[in-house]
Every structure is written in structure tokens, then in C-alpha cells.
Amino acid sequence: MMNPKVEALLRGASIVSREPGNSMTPVLKSRQPVRLQPATWETVEVGDIVYCKVHGNLYTHYVKAKNPDRGCQIGNNHGHING
């Protein structure tokens, strides 16, 4: 079963999410409401905040780098790179 937030985004809907955690502080606080809109790795830019899956978990993280052959590299606001 797919996550309902991901399903809504895949249908083209914008959603509001309140993700827990402190990996994006001070830019985003834990459970701060964030409006998410559908995007692809081709349309996002370095510095954008994205909703992405890492090792089966969904996170709100920064796009740290882009490579036309490999996609986006994402990470948190404290220097950690997730992939």
C-alpha cells in the first residue's frame, strides 16, 4: 500500500504535510506545516526542498546536487547527505 500523501502528489494534487524531526531546523521545525506540490527530479533545482523516500522512509530534505544521468542528491540542513 502506498502512502496517501505520495498517492495525492502522484495524482497531481498539492498537499500540506507536517513531518516530524529536526533534520531541517532552523528552516523547518518539527511538525511545521509545509505545502508540497508535485515535481520531478528534472524540474527541481539545487536548494529546493523536496519530499522524498530514503531507505523506505519519507523525508522533507534539500536537493544538494543534480546529475542528468543519476538524478538528485538529497540531504538535511545539518550537512548529512542521504543519497
Side-chain angles (χ1 to χ4, degrees):
M1 179 173 216
M2 189 178 290
N3 179 294
K5 293 176 186 176
V6 173
E7 286 179 351
L9 290 166
L10 288 172
R11 286 192 312 269
S14 292
I15 64 169
V16 174
S17 184
R18 298 171 58 94
E19 301 304 313
N22 294 309
S23 66
M24 290 295 288
T25 58
V27 175
L28 298 174
K29 296 176 184 167
S30 183
R31 299 210 175 267
Q32 176 180 337
V34 178
R35 178 165 301 281
L36 303 172
Q37 62 187 33
T40 63
W41 75 267
E42 295 93 350
T43 62
V44 298
E45 299 295 331
V46 172
D48 286 351
I49 296 174
V50 295
Y51 191 57
C52 53
K53 186 181 278 190
V54 179
H55 301 295
N57 297 309
L58 292 163
Y59 295 99
T60 306
H61 272 356
Y62 277 116
V63 174
K64 297 287 191 168
K66 280 181 66 172
N67 179 305
D69 297 321
R70 299 187 68 191
C72 294
Q73 181 179 63
I74 54 100
N76 66 24
N77 199 36
H78 302 283
H80 183 76
I81 300 298
N82 288 96

